[in-house]
Amino acid sequence: EPTTFAVRVAPLGTHGQVLVLAEDQTERRRVEAVRRDFVANVSHELKTPVGALSLLAETIQDAADDPEAVTRFAGRMQHEAARLTNVVQDLITLSRIQGGEPVAHPGRVQVDEIVHEAMDRCNTKAAAKDITLVTGGAQGLSLMGDEELLVTALRNLIDNAVAYSPEHTRVVVSARTIGAHVEISVSDQGIGIPESAQQRIFERFYRVDAARSRETGGTGLGLAIVKHVAVAHGGEVTVWSKEGSGSTFTLRLPAADAAAAAASQNSTAS
Ligand code: ADP
């Protein structure tokens, strides 16, 4: 990528002096290119399922007297509708949390409920690749937070785990308490993430390999959303990964009782 300058020349005074302003445009052009890519990706992510849905609706009309085919096509319609819902949900979530404010009205959230809700939203995608979703440890754990935001974050982690794994593998979603925190991990047996990229994947729009990502779909927003949601809850998200053997993403969030204790301490302090 060559460096580009915008140069402006203005006359200065009466002795023929001029003022020369040279502004480095490289970063601005890079940001513009990233945004153009993003708009193209989002348009593609919205148009693909809509196109598939209208095609499937047509097909189902022609197959009206074949109940087996109807069931199969209806299943695929469900899959496409879920995909559409996820992209729209991501865009809404991003606009909600971009400001970086803490969660507005946190409530008590059962960890096993959000884990199951997030897994449900990835079921058809996992089934299509014969990927088994396994869960454990979430029973009885609770958090203070925004249920919809937490489900969106978890769904993005599971969605990625499925997208970047080969067929017939396992994705494990597990939860546990460590001190005053609840940790929810999503582990896959997928392609992994090169060490040099591991810090950048949480940036908005960043994708490890544009060509590879285009095949799997996606907008480059998922992990930025996960990070925003974690931070808005007073937590964090970390990654462990090895190329060729898999990745584990861990959401670390304050447990409900710890969060309640901190809140009451704050209110007595002020
Ligand atoms: P995308 O829409 O591209 O999936 P994300 O923000 O969710 O956007 O992820 C950013 C990039 O991080 C992806 O493009 C992919 O290269 C990489 N990535 C995310 N999760 C995984 C995973 N579980 N395994 C391998 N690579 C991953």
Side-chain angles (χ1 to χ4, degrees), residues 41 45 90 125 156-165 186-194 197 200-210 212-214 216-226 239 241 246-249:
N41 287 341
E45 288 302 297
D90 279 357
K125 183 166 168 174
N156 265 297
L157 290 179
I158 301 169
D159 201 56
N160 279 344
V162 171
Y164 301 107
S165 289
V186 178
S187 296
D188 63 56
Q189 303 169 311
I191 55 179
I193 302 157
R200 299 206 57 196
I201 50 175
F202 297 100
E203 291 170 22
R204 250 192 306 167
F205 312 129
Y206 183 82
R207 317 185 74 189
V208 173
D209 171 349
R212 182 184 77 184
S213 298
R214 197 140 297 133
T216 54
T219 56
L221 287 181
L223 290 178
I225 287 173
V226 176
V239 59
S241 185
S247 310
T248 297
F249 285 84

Side-chain angles (χ1 to χ4, degrees), residues 51-70:
L53 278 171
S54 73
L55 206 68
L56 284 161
E58 249 174 64
T59 317
I60 228 167
Q61 270 173 336
D62 297 338
D65 49 8
D66 180 353
E68 217 171 272
V70 169

Side-chain angles (χ1 to χ4, degrees), residues 45-214:
E45 288 302 297
L46 292 172
K47 278 159 95 179
T48 309
V50 172
L53 278 171
S54 73
L55 206 68
L56 284 161
E58 249 174 64
T59 317
I60 228 167
Q61 270 173 336
D62 297 338
D65 49 8
D66 180 353
E68 217 171 272
V70 169
T71 309
R72 197 170 64 242
F73 292 133
R76 284 180 51 192
M77 288 181 83
Q78 234 162 11
H79 173 71
E80 298 299 335
R83 195 171 156 190
L84 198 55
T85 308
N86 287 347
V87 181
V88 173
Q89 185 69 56
D90 279 357
L91 293 172
I92 293 170
T93 304
L94 197 72
S95 71
R96 264 187 72 192
I97 58 177
Q98 240 167 0
E101 303 92 35
V103 175
H105 303 289
R108 187 179 281 264
V109 175
Q110 301 301 327
V111 176
D112 62 338
E113 274 170 29
I114 55 171
V115 165
H116 280 110
E117 178 64 29
M119 283 189 3
D120 276 351
R121 297 193 194 175
C122 303
N123 256 341
T124 48
K125 183 166 168 174
K129 290 174 82 173
D130 186 30
I131 288 175
T132 315
L133 299 180
V134 190
T135 178
Q139 204 74 35
L141 304 184
S142 60
L143 290 168
M144 290 302 282
D146 179 306
E147 186 160 338
E148 191 52 48
L149 288 180
L150 290 168
V151 169
T152 301
L154 269 177
R155 189 259 300 151
N156 265 297
L157 290 179
I158 301 169
D159 201 56
N160 279 344
V162 171
Y164 301 107
S165 289
E167 298 186 342
H168 321 299
T169 53
R170 277 157 56 104
V171 169
V172 181
V173 185
S174 57
R176 58 179 181 166
T177 311
I178 302 242
H181 289 86
V182 169
E183 280 189 2
I184 310 173
S185 308
V186 178
S187 296
D188 63 56
Q189 303 169 311
I191 55 179
I193 302 157
E195 206 168 330
S196 58
Q198 287 177 15
Q199 286 316 306
R200 299 206 57 196
I201 50 175
F202 297 100
E203 291 170 22
R204 250 192 306 167
F205 312 129
Y206 183 82
R207 317 185 74 189
V208 173
D209 171 349
R212 182 184 77 184
S213 298
R214 197 140 297 133

